[in-house]
Amino acid sequence: MERREAGSVSSPVCDLLLRASWIVTQDARRRVFEDGCLAIRDGGVLDVGAWADTAPRYRAAEVRDLGETLVLPGLINVHAHASMTLFRGLADDLPLMDWLSRHIWPLEARLSPELVRLGALAACAEMLASGATCFADGYFHEREVLAAARTAGMRVILGEGFFGFPSPMFPTARHCWDVVEGLREATRDDPLSRVMFMPHAPYTTTPESLRESMDLAEALDCPWHIHCAESPAETASCLEMFGQRPVPYLDSLGCLRPRAILAHCVDLSEEEIALLAERGVKVAHCPSSNMKLANGAAPVQKLLDAGVVVGLGTDGAASNNSLNLFTEMRHAALLQKLLLLDPGALPAQAVLDMATRQGAACLDWTGIGSLEPGGRADLLALDLTAPGLQPLHSPVSQAVYAAHGGEVRLVLVEGRAVYEDGRPLGIDLPLLRRELAAAVRWMRDHRA
Ligand SMILES: [Zn+2]
Protein backbone atom coordinates (compact mmCIF):
# COMPACT_ATOMS: atom_id res chain seq x y z
CA MET A 1 0.00 0.00 0.00
CA GLU A 2 1.29 3.35 -1.01
CA ARG A 3 0.53 6.69 0.58
CA ARG A 4 1.14 9.82 -1.35
CA GLU A 5 -0.14 13.18 -2.36
CA ALA A 6 -1.29 13.17 -5.96
CA GLY A 7 -2.41 16.24 -7.89
CA SER A 8 -1.57 19.82 -7.02
CA VAL A 9 -2.32 21.73 -3.80
CA SER A 10 -5.48 23.18 -5.35
CA SER A 11 -6.79 19.74 -6.48
CA PRO A 12 -9.84 18.25 -4.77
CA VAL A 13 -8.98 15.89 -1.93
CA CYS A 14 -10.05 12.26 -1.84
CA ASP A 15 -9.54 9.48 0.69
CA LEU A 16 -8.43 6.82 -1.73
CA LEU A 17 -7.33 6.54 -5.35
CA LEU A 18 -7.61 2.99 -6.70
CA ARG A 19 -5.80 1.89 -9.83
CA ALA A 20 -6.78 -1.33 -11.62
CA SER A 21 -6.07 -2.74 -15.05
CA TRP A 22 -9.83 -2.80 -15.75
CA ILE A 23 -12.78 -1.01 -14.17
CA VAL A 24 -16.25 -2.06 -15.29
CA THR A 25 -18.50 0.77 -14.10
CA GLN A 26 -21.95 -0.63 -14.92
CA ASP A 27 -23.10 2.97 -15.27
CA ALA A 28 -25.91 3.93 -17.67
CA ARG A 29 -23.46 3.85 -20.60
CA ARG A 30 -21.75 0.66 -19.35
CA ARG A 31 -18.38 2.37 -19.56
CA VAL A 32 -15.30 0.20 -19.07
CA PHE A 33 -11.89 1.73 -18.39
CA GLU A 34 -8.59 0.03 -19.14
CA ASP A 35 -5.90 1.14 -16.69
CA GLY A 36 -8.71 2.66 -14.66
CA CYS A 37 -8.86 5.00 -11.70
CA LEU A 38 -11.50 5.28 -9.02
CA ALA A 39 -11.49 8.23 -6.61
CA ILE A 40 -13.27 7.55 -3.32
CA ARG A 41 -14.32 10.06 -0.67
CA ASP A 42 -16.50 9.58 2.42
CA GLY A 43 -17.47 6.07 1.30
CA GLY A 44 -18.72 7.27 -2.07
CA VAL A 45 -17.38 7.42 -5.61
CA LEU A 46 -16.05 10.87 -6.42
CA ASP A 47 -14.79 10.06 -9.90
CA VAL A 48 -14.01 7.20 -12.25
CA GLY A 49 -12.06 7.17 -15.48
CA ALA A 50 -8.78 6.30 -17.12
CA TRP A 51 -5.83 6.58 -14.71
CA ALA A 52 -3.92 9.00 -16.94
CA ASP A 53 -6.86 11.45 -17.08
CA THR A 54 -8.35 11.05 -13.64
CA ALA A 55 -5.54 10.51 -11.13
CA PRO A 56 -3.75 13.85 -11.70
CA ARG A 57 -6.93 15.72 -10.78
CA TYR A 58 -6.94 14.60 -7.13
CA ARG A 59 -4.90 14.87 -4.00
CA ALA A 60 -5.27 11.50 -2.30
CA ALA A 61 -4.65 10.51 1.29
CA GLU A 62 -3.95 7.00 0.02
CA VAL A 63 -3.22 5.45 -3.37
CA ARG A 64 -3.62 1.72 -3.99
CA ASP A 65 -2.43 0.11 -7.17
CA LEU A 66 -4.36 -3.15 -7.44
CA GLY A 67 -2.28 -4.24 -10.42
CA GLU A 68 -3.74 -6.84 -12.77
CA THR A 69 -7.26 -6.80 -11.43
CA LEU A 70 -10.75 -6.37 -12.79
CA VAL A 71 -12.87 -4.09 -10.62
CA LEU A 72 -16.64 -4.49 -10.65
CA PRO A 73 -19.44 -2.98 -8.56
CA GLY A 74 -20.13 -5.17 -5.51
CA LEU A 75 -22.62 -7.90 -6.43
CA ILE A 76 -26.13 -7.74 -5.00
CA ASN A 77 -27.89 -10.86 -3.76
CA VAL A 78 -31.59 -10.04 -3.98
CA HIS A 79 -32.92 -13.23 -2.40
CA ALA A 80 -31.15 -15.05 0.42
CA HIS A 81 -31.80 -16.86 3.67
CA ALA A 82 -28.33 -16.36 5.09
CA SER A 83 -28.72 -18.47 8.21
CA MET A 84 -29.65 -21.53 6.15
CA THR A 85 -25.92 -22.13 5.70
CA LEU A 86 -26.54 -24.20 8.84
CA PHE A 87 -28.50 -26.68 6.70
CA ARG A 88 -26.06 -26.88 3.82
CA GLY A 89 -25.93 -30.50 2.67
CA LEU A 90 -28.27 -31.67 5.42
CA ALA A 91 -30.98 -32.94 3.06
CA ASP A 92 -30.32 -32.86 -0.67
CA ASP A 93 -31.98 -34.22 -3.78
CA LEU A 94 -35.59 -34.00 -2.55
CA PRO A 95 -38.78 -32.35 -3.88
CA LEU A 96 -39.51 -28.84 -2.51
CA MET A 97 -42.49 -29.68 -0.28
CA ASP A 98 -40.92 -32.83 1.13
CA TRP A 99 -37.64 -31.01 1.72
CA LEU A 100 -39.33 -28.09 3.48
CA SER A 101 -41.90 -29.90 5.58
CA ARG A 102 -39.89 -32.97 6.62
CA HIS A 103 -36.37 -31.60 6.95
CA ILE A 104 -36.16 -27.82 7.14
CA TRP A 105 -39.21 -26.61 9.04
CA PRO A 106 -38.84 -29.07 11.99
CA LEU A 107 -35.28 -27.84 12.60
CA GLU A 108 -36.12 -24.20 12.05
CA ALA A 109 -38.77 -24.48 14.76
CA ARG A 110 -35.95 -25.13 17.25
CA LEU A 111 -33.38 -22.59 16.05
CA SER A 112 -32.07 -20.23 18.71
CA PRO A 113 -31.18 -16.60 17.95
CA GLU A 114 -27.51 -17.52 18.51
CA LEU A 115 -27.65 -20.18 15.80
CA VAL A 116 -29.34 -17.74 13.41
CA ARG A 117 -26.51 -15.27 14.01
CA LEU A 118 -23.90 -17.97 13.50
CA GLY A 119 -25.45 -19.15 10.22
CA ALA A 120 -25.71 -15.58 8.97
CA LEU A 121 -22.09 -14.87 9.84
CA ALA A 122 -20.99 -17.95 7.89
CA ALA A 123 -23.09 -16.69 4.97
CA CYS A 124 -21.52 -13.22 5.12
CA ALA A 125 -18.02 -14.71 5.06
CA GLU A 126 -18.98 -16.78 2.02
CA MET A 127 -20.74 -13.97 0.18
CA LEU A 128 -17.83 -11.55 0.70
CA ALA A 129 -15.38 -14.18 -0.55
CA SER A 130 -17.30 -14.25 -3.84
CA GLY A 131 -17.80 -10.50 -4.15
CA ALA A 132 -21.30 -9.85 -2.81
CA THR A 133 -21.58 -6.61 -0.88
CA CYS A 134 -25.33 -6.49 -0.28
CA PHE A 135 -28.01 -9.09 0.39
CA ALA A 136 -31.75 -9.19 0.88
CA ASP A 137 -32.50 -11.66 3.64
CA GLY A 138 -35.68 -13.39 4.66
CA TYR A 139 -35.61 -15.39 7.85
CA PHE A 140 -36.42 -15.39 11.56
CA HIS A 141 -34.60 -13.47 14.30
CA GLU A 142 -33.47 -10.93 11.70
CA ARG A 143 -31.92 -8.81 14.43
CA GLU A 144 -29.26 -11.53 14.57
CA VAL A 145 -28.76 -11.30 10.80
CA LEU A 146 -28.32 -7.56 11.23
CA ALA A 147 -25.66 -8.20 13.89
CA ALA A 148 -23.84 -10.61 11.54
CA ALA A 149 -23.99 -8.19 8.60
CA ARG A 150 -22.58 -5.43 10.81
CA THR A 151 -19.76 -7.68 11.97
CA ALA A 152 -18.97 -8.50 8.34
CA GLY A 153 -19.41 -4.90 7.14
CA MET A 154 -22.03 -5.82 4.52
CA ARG A 155 -25.15 -4.05 3.35
CA VAL A 156 -28.35 -5.89 4.21
CA ILE A 157 -32.08 -5.54 3.81
CA LEU A 158 -33.83 -7.49 6.54
CA GLY A 159 -37.09 -9.36 6.02
CA GLU A 160 -38.54 -10.92 9.15
CA GLY A 161 -40.38 -13.92 7.69
CA PHE A 162 -43.93 -14.77 8.64
CA PHE A 163 -46.55 -17.40 7.91
CA GLY A 164 -50.35 -17.21 8.01
CA PHE A 165 -50.58 -19.89 10.65
CA PRO A 166 -49.06 -19.60 14.13
CA SER A 167 -45.34 -20.16 13.59
CA PRO A 168 -42.66 -20.94 16.17
CA MET A 169 -41.69 -17.27 16.02
CA PHE A 170 -45.04 -15.51 15.91
CA PRO A 171 -48.48 -16.53 17.17
CA THR A 172 -50.00 -13.92 14.82
CA ALA A 173 -48.85 -11.69 11.98
CA ARG A 174 -49.32 -8.68 14.29
CA HIS A 175 -46.40 -9.92 16.42
CA CYS A 176 -44.26 -9.92 13.29
CA TRP A 177 -45.20 -6.32 12.43
CA ASP A 178 -43.95 -5.28 15.87
CA VAL A 179 -40.61 -6.96 15.17
CA VAL A 180 -40.37 -5.18 11.80
CA GLU A 181 -41.03 -1.86 13.54
CA GLY A 182 -38.24 -2.68 16.00
CA LEU A 183 -35.85 -3.56 13.18
CA ARG A 184 -36.73 -0.34 11.44
CA GLU A 185 -35.80 1.55 14.58
CA ALA A 186 -32.52 -0.39 14.85
CA THR A 187 -31.57 0.47 11.25
CA ARG A 188 -32.82 4.06 11.19
CA ASP A 189 -29.46 5.84 11.16
CA ASP A 190 -27.48 3.06 9.50
CA PRO A 191 -26.56 3.62 5.83
CA LEU A 192 -25.84 -0.11 5.45
CA SER A 193 -29.10 -1.67 6.64
CA ARG A 194 -32.79 -1.45 5.79
CA VAL A 195 -35.97 -3.45 6.34
CA MET A 196 -38.63 -5.04 4.15
CA PHE A 197 -41.75 -7.13 4.69
CA MET A 198 -41.35 -10.83 3.95
CA PRO A 199 -44.50 -12.96 3.86
CA HIS A 200 -43.28 -16.50 3.07
CA ALA A 201 -45.50 -17.43 0.10
CA PRO A 202 -49.11 -17.28 -1.11
CA TYR A 203 -49.78 -20.87 0.03
CA THR A 204 -48.41 -20.35 3.58
CA THR A 205 -50.10 -17.02 4.41
CA THR A 206 -53.64 -15.68 4.61
CA PRO A 207 -55.15 -13.06 2.28
CA GLU A 208 -55.60 -10.75 5.30
CA SER A 209 -51.95 -10.93 6.37
CA LEU A 210 -50.76 -10.32 2.81
CA ARG A 211 -52.97 -7.24 2.44
CA GLU A 212 -52.02 -5.93 5.85
CA SER A 213 -48.29 -6.41 5.27
CA MET A 214 -48.51 -4.58 1.93
CA ASP A 215 -50.38 -1.70 3.58
CA LEU A 216 -47.63 -1.50 6.20
CA ALA A 217 -44.91 -1.67 3.54
CA GLU A 218 -46.61 1.27 1.83
CA ALA A 219 -46.84 3.16 5.12
CA LEU A 220 -43.16 2.53 5.96
CA ASP A 221 -42.10 2.94 2.32
CA CYS A 222 -40.11 -0.29 2.18
CA PRO A 223 -39.99 -3.31 -0.16
CA TRP A 224 -42.38 -6.25 0.13
CA HIS A 225 -40.79 -9.58 -0.74
CA ILE A 226 -42.46 -12.98 -1.22
CA HIS A 227 -41.75 -16.39 -2.76
CA CYS A 228 -44.14 -16.69 -5.70
CA ALA A 229 -44.81 -19.18 -8.51
CA GLU A 230 -41.77 -21.20 -7.45
CA SER A 231 -43.07 -24.46 -8.94
CA PRO A 232 -46.07 -26.03 -10.68
CA ALA A 233 -46.82 -27.75 -7.34
CA GLU A 234 -47.14 -24.36 -5.66
CA THR A 235 -49.53 -23.23 -8.40
CA ALA A 236 -51.65 -26.33 -7.76
CA SER A 237 -51.82 -25.58 -3.99
CA CYS A 238 -52.73 -21.96 -4.66
CA LEU A 239 -55.50 -23.01 -7.08
CA GLU A 240 -56.85 -25.45 -4.53
CA MET A 241 -56.71 -23.00 -1.61
CA PHE A 242 -57.74 -19.74 -3.29
CA GLY A 243 -59.11 -20.74 -6.70
CA GLN A 244 -56.43 -18.73 -8.49
CA ARG A 245 -52.86 -19.09 -9.71
CA PRO A 246 -50.27 -17.26 -7.50
CA VAL A 247 -49.79 -14.13 -9.63
CA PRO A 248 -53.50 -13.32 -10.26
CA TYR A 249 -54.15 -14.18 -6.61
CA LEU A 250 -51.60 -11.59 -5.41
CA ASP A 251 -53.05 -9.11 -7.88
CA SER A 252 -56.56 -9.66 -6.54
CA LEU A 253 -55.22 -8.64 -3.11
CA GLY A 254 -53.62 -5.48 -4.49
CA CYS A 255 -50.14 -6.84 -3.76
CA LEU A 256 -48.65 -6.44 -7.24
CA ARG A 257 -47.04 -3.05 -6.92
CA PRO A 258 -43.63 -1.57 -7.75
CA ARG A 259 -42.40 -2.26 -4.18
CA ALA A 260 -43.19 -6.00 -4.56
CA ILE A 261 -40.27 -8.37 -5.18
CA LEU A 262 -41.38 -11.83 -6.27
CA ALA A 263 -38.78 -14.53 -5.77
CA HIS A 264 -38.52 -17.35 -8.31
CA CYS A 265 -41.44 -16.73 -10.75
CA VAL A 266 -40.77 -20.04 -12.48
CA ASP A 267 -44.35 -21.01 -13.31
CA LEU A 268 -45.66 -17.97 -15.22
CA SER A 269 -48.07 -17.68 -18.13
CA GLU A 270 -47.63 -15.11 -20.91
CA GLU A 271 -50.48 -13.08 -19.40
CA GLU A 272 -48.83 -13.14 -15.98
CA ILE A 273 -45.54 -11.88 -17.43
CA ALA A 274 -47.44 -8.98 -19.02
CA LEU A 275 -49.24 -8.31 -15.74
CA LEU A 276 -45.97 -8.20 -13.73
CA ALA A 277 -44.58 -5.72 -16.26
CA GLU A 278 -47.72 -3.58 -16.16
CA ARG A 279 -47.69 -3.45 -12.35
CA GLY A 280 -43.96 -2.64 -12.16
CA VAL A 281 -43.27 -5.69 -9.98
CA LYS A 282 -39.64 -6.81 -9.49
CA VAL A 283 -38.44 -10.40 -9.81
CA ALA A 284 -35.65 -12.21 -7.92
CA HIS A 285 -34.24 -14.98 -10.12
CA CYS A 286 -32.56 -17.89 -8.31
CA PRO A 287 -31.41 -20.26 -11.05
CA SER A 288 -29.34 -22.71 -8.97
CA SER A 289 -32.10 -23.26 -6.43
CA ASN A 290 -34.71 -23.69 -9.19
CA MET A 291 -32.54 -26.25 -10.94
CA LYS A 292 -31.57 -28.16 -7.81
CA LEU A 293 -35.18 -28.50 -6.65
CA ALA A 294 -36.19 -29.29 -10.27
CA ASN A 295 -38.80 -26.53 -10.14
CA GLY A 296 -38.19 -25.41 -13.71
CA ALA A 297 -36.63 -22.44 -15.49
CA ALA A 298 -37.97 -18.94 -14.92
CA PRO A 299 -38.77 -17.14 -18.21
CA VAL A 300 -36.16 -14.46 -17.51
CA GLN A 301 -35.57 -13.36 -21.09
CA LYS A 302 -39.31 -12.89 -21.58
CA LEU A 303 -39.55 -10.94 -18.33
CA LEU A 304 -36.70 -8.66 -19.39
CA ASP A 305 -38.21 -8.24 -22.87
CA ALA A 306 -41.48 -7.21 -21.21
CA GLY A 307 -39.59 -4.59 -19.16
CA VAL A 308 -39.60 -6.32 -15.77
CA VAL A 309 -36.65 -5.56 -13.48
CA VAL A 310 -34.96 -8.87 -12.59
CA GLY A 311 -32.23 -9.30 -9.97
CA LEU A 312 -30.20 -12.38 -9.06
CA GLY A 313 -30.40 -14.32 -5.81
CA THR A 314 -28.76 -17.37 -4.34
CA ASP A 315 -31.72 -18.43 -2.20
CA GLY A 316 -30.63 -20.32 0.94
CA ALA A 317 -27.60 -22.58 1.13
CA ALA A 318 -29.84 -25.58 1.82
CA SER A 319 -31.24 -25.46 -1.72
CA ASN A 320 -28.24 -24.20 -3.68
CA ASN A 321 -25.78 -25.15 -1.86
CA SER A 322 -23.52 -22.13 -2.20
CA LEU A 323 -24.01 -18.38 -1.91
CA ASN A 324 -21.88 -17.40 -4.86
CA LEU A 325 -23.29 -14.87 -7.33
CA PHE A 326 -20.64 -15.73 -9.93
CA THR A 327 -22.17 -19.20 -10.03
CA GLU A 328 -25.64 -17.65 -10.28
CA MET A 329 -24.58 -15.43 -13.18
CA ARG A 330 -23.23 -18.42 -15.06
CA HIS A 331 -26.25 -20.58 -14.28
CA ALA A 332 -28.69 -17.78 -15.20
CA ALA A 333 -27.09 -17.38 -18.62
CA LEU A 334 -26.74 -21.09 -19.38
CA LEU A 335 -30.21 -22.01 -18.14
CA GLN A 336 -31.91 -19.35 -20.26
CA LYS A 337 -29.99 -20.39 -23.38
CA LEU A 338 -30.99 -24.00 -22.77
CA LEU A 339 -34.62 -23.10 -22.03
CA LEU A 340 -34.98 -21.16 -25.26
CA LEU A 341 -32.45 -23.20 -27.28
CA ASP A 342 -31.00 -19.84 -28.20
CA PRO A 343 -27.33 -18.96 -27.55
CA GLY A 344 -28.28 -15.29 -27.78
CA ALA A 345 -30.65 -15.51 -24.81
CA LEU A 346 -29.53 -13.64 -21.68
CA PRO A 347 -26.15 -12.38 -22.92
CA ALA A 348 -23.26 -11.64 -20.56
CA GLN A 349 -24.02 -7.93 -20.20
CA ALA A 350 -27.66 -8.60 -19.27
CA VAL A 351 -26.56 -11.12 -16.64
CA LEU A 352 -24.00 -8.76 -15.13
CA ASP A 353 -26.72 -6.09 -15.03
CA MET A 354 -28.94 -8.46 -13.04
CA ALA A 355 -26.19 -9.05 -10.48
CA THR A 356 -25.45 -5.33 -10.12
CA ARG A 357 -27.57 -2.35 -11.23
CA GLN A 358 -30.79 -4.35 -11.76
CA GLY A 359 -30.31 -5.88 -8.32
CA ALA A 360 -30.13 -2.38 -6.86
CA ALA A 361 -33.30 -1.41 -8.77
CA CYS A 362 -34.99 -4.58 -7.55
CA LEU A 363 -34.33 -3.56 -3.93
CA ASP A 364 -34.98 0.12 -4.68
CA TRP A 365 -31.56 0.94 -3.19
CA THR A 366 -30.11 3.87 -5.09
CA GLY A 367 -26.38 4.52 -5.18
CA ILE A 368 -25.29 0.87 -5.41
CA GLY A 369 -24.93 -1.56 -8.33
CA SER A 370 -22.67 0.74 -10.37
CA LEU A 371 -19.43 2.68 -9.92
CA GLU A 372 -20.11 6.28 -10.84
CA PRO A 373 -19.81 9.72 -9.25
CA GLY A 374 -22.46 10.19 -6.59
CA GLY A 375 -22.79 6.44 -5.94
CA ARG A 376 -21.42 4.40 -3.07
CA ALA A 377 -17.96 2.80 -3.22
CA ASP A 378 -19.02 -0.87 -3.02
CA LEU A 379 -16.77 -2.97 -5.22
CA LEU A 380 -14.84 -6.15 -5.75
CA ALA A 381 -11.51 -6.75 -7.44
CA LEU A 382 -10.89 -10.00 -9.34
CA ASP A 383 -7.30 -11.22 -9.64
CA LEU A 384 -6.67 -11.38 -13.37
CA THR A 385 -3.45 -13.32 -12.88
CA ALA A 386 -5.56 -16.37 -12.00
CA PRO A 387 -4.99 -18.93 -14.78
CA GLY A 388 -8.68 -19.16 -15.73
CA LEU A 389 -8.92 -15.44 -16.39
CA GLN A 390 -6.19 -15.23 -19.04
CA PRO A 391 -6.13 -14.18 -21.81
CA LEU A 392 -8.68 -11.38 -21.60
CA HIS A 393 -10.66 -10.09 -24.58
CA SER A 394 -13.79 -8.85 -22.81
CA PRO A 395 -13.93 -7.95 -19.11
CA VAL A 396 -17.72 -8.51 -18.99
CA SER A 397 -17.49 -11.93 -20.63
CA GLN A 398 -14.64 -12.84 -18.28
CA ALA A 399 -16.67 -11.87 -15.21
CA VAL A 400 -19.81 -13.74 -16.25
CA TYR A 401 -18.54 -16.86 -18.01
CA ALA A 402 -14.98 -17.46 -16.83
CA ALA A 403 -14.68 -16.23 -13.24
CA HIS A 404 -15.90 -18.52 -10.47
CA GLY A 405 -15.63 -16.01 -7.63
CA GLY A 406 -12.57 -17.60 -6.04
CA GLU A 407 -10.48 -14.94 -7.79
CA VAL A 408 -11.94 -12.16 -5.60
CA ARG A 409 -9.00 -10.50 -3.84
CA LEU A 410 -10.53 -7.37 -2.37
CA VAL A 411 -14.02 -6.18 -1.46
CA LEU A 412 -14.93 -2.67 -0.35
CA VAL A 413 -18.25 -1.62 1.13
CA GLU A 414 -18.85 2.10 1.57
CA GLY A 415 -15.20 2.63 0.62
CA ARG A 416 -13.93 0.42 3.42
CA ALA A 417 -12.07 -2.88 2.90
CA VAL A 418 -14.15 -5.73 4.32
CA TYR A 419 -12.48 -8.67 2.56
CA GLU A 420 -8.89 -9.00 1.47
CA ASP A 421 -6.68 -11.87 0.31
CA GLY A 422 -8.89 -14.66 1.57
CA ARG A 423 -9.93 -13.02 4.84
CA PRO A 424 -13.23 -11.37 5.75
CA LEU A 425 -11.70 -8.64 7.88
CA GLY A 426 -14.49 -8.40 10.48
CA ILE A 427 -14.90 -12.15 11.02
CA ASP A 428 -12.79 -14.52 13.11
CA LEU A 429 -12.81 -17.50 10.73
CA PRO A 430 -11.22 -20.12 13.06
CA LEU A 431 -13.75 -19.25 15.78
CA LEU A 432 -16.58 -19.37 13.24
CA ARG A 433 -15.50 -22.86 12.13
CA ARG A 434 -15.45 -24.12 15.72
CA GLU A 435 -18.91 -22.70 16.38
CA LEU A 436 -20.27 -24.22 13.17
CA ALA A 437 -18.92 -27.63 14.15
CA ALA A 438 -20.77 -27.33 17.47
CA ALA A 439 -23.94 -26.33 15.56
CA VAL A 440 -23.69 -29.46 13.42
CA ARG A 441 -23.57 -31.56 16.59
CA TRP A 442 -26.66 -29.73 17.87
CA MET A 443 -28.54 -30.40 14.63
CA ARG A 444 -27.66 -34.10 14.71
CA ASP A 445 -29.24 -34.25 18.15
CA HIS A 446 -32.36 -32.33 17.14
CA ARG A 447 -33.32 -33.77 13.77
CA ALA A 448 -36.90 -34.97 13.57
ZN1 LIG B 1 -36.19 -18.43 -0.80
Side-chain angles (χ1 to χ4, degrees), residues 215-250:
D215 288 346
L216 287 166
E218 289 286 344
L220 300 184
D221 192 21
C222 64
W224 184 90
H225 194 147
I226 190 169
H227 296 93
C228 180
E230 183 170 0
S231 69
E234 181 199 318
T235 302
S237 319
C238 199
L239 275 166
E240 196 182 315
M241 292 169 76
F242 307 110
Q244 293 182 88
R245 290 168 54 87
V247 167
Y249 168 63
L250 290 182

Side-chain angles (χ1 to χ4, degrees), residues 186-408:
T187 56
R188 188 178 293 280
D189 299 316
D190 181 0
L192 298 186
S193 60
R194 297 183 175 185
V195 297
M196 61 182 176
F197 281 85
M198 183 91 201
H200 176 258
Y203 65 97
T204 50
T205 50
T206 61
E208 298 71 37
S209 63
L210 290 180
R211 265 199 220 100
E212 204 174 307
S213 61
M214 180 51 95
D215 288 346
L216 287 166
E218 289 286 344
L220 300 184
D221 192 21
C222 64
W224 184 90
H225 194 147
I226 190 169
H227 296 93
C228 180
E230 183 170 0
S231 69
E234 181 199 318
T235 302
S237 319
C238 199
L239 275 166
E240 196 182 315
M241 292 169 76
F242 307 110
Q244 293 182 88
R245 290 168 54 87
V247 167
Y249 168 63
L250 290 182
D251 196 44
S252 72
L253 300 174
C255 289
L256 295 188
R257 304 186 195 185
R259 71 178 65 254
I261 304 163
L262 271 47
H264 300 302
C265 287
V266 167
D267 189 24
L268 294 181
S269 68
E270 300 284 342
E271 295 73 34
E272 288 163 356
I273 292 171
L275 184 62
L276 294 180
E278 193 184 318
R279 298 281 189 263
V281 170
K282 317 298 193 296
V283 168
H285 178 42
C286 306
S288 299
S289 173
N290 297 158
M291 288 195 285
K292 185 169 182 246
L293 294 169
N295 284 332
V300 173
Q301 186 63 62
K302 285 185 178 174
L303 286 163
L304 293 177
D305 291 345
V308 176
V309 170
V310 183
L312 262 189
T314 57
D315 211 354
S319 66
N320 185 309
N321 292 359
S322 86
L323 306 178
N324 180 333
L325 284 169
F326 281 92
T327 308
E328 297 310 312
M329 286 199 285
R330 182 177 173 81
H331 283 172
L334 300 189
L335 179 58
Q336 211 55 207
K337 293 172 200 308
L338 185 65
L339 173 70
L340 299 173
L341 296 178
D342 175 7
L346 212 55
Q349 183 64 61
V351 178
L352 185 60
D353 286 358
M354 286 165 62
T356 56
R357 52 186 295 123
Q358 294 263 32
C362 206
L363 303 179
D364 193 25
W365 198 321
T366 51
I368 60 172
S370 63
L371 294 170
E372 55 191 311
R376 309 316 301 162
D378 292 8
L379 61 87
L380 67 98
L382 285 175
D383 179 3
L384 288 176
T385 66
L389 299 188
Q390 292 291 335
L392 188 150
H393 296 285
S394 157
V396 171
S397 166
Q398 214 82 330
V400 172
Y401 293 126
H404 48 66
E407 311 89 343
V408 171

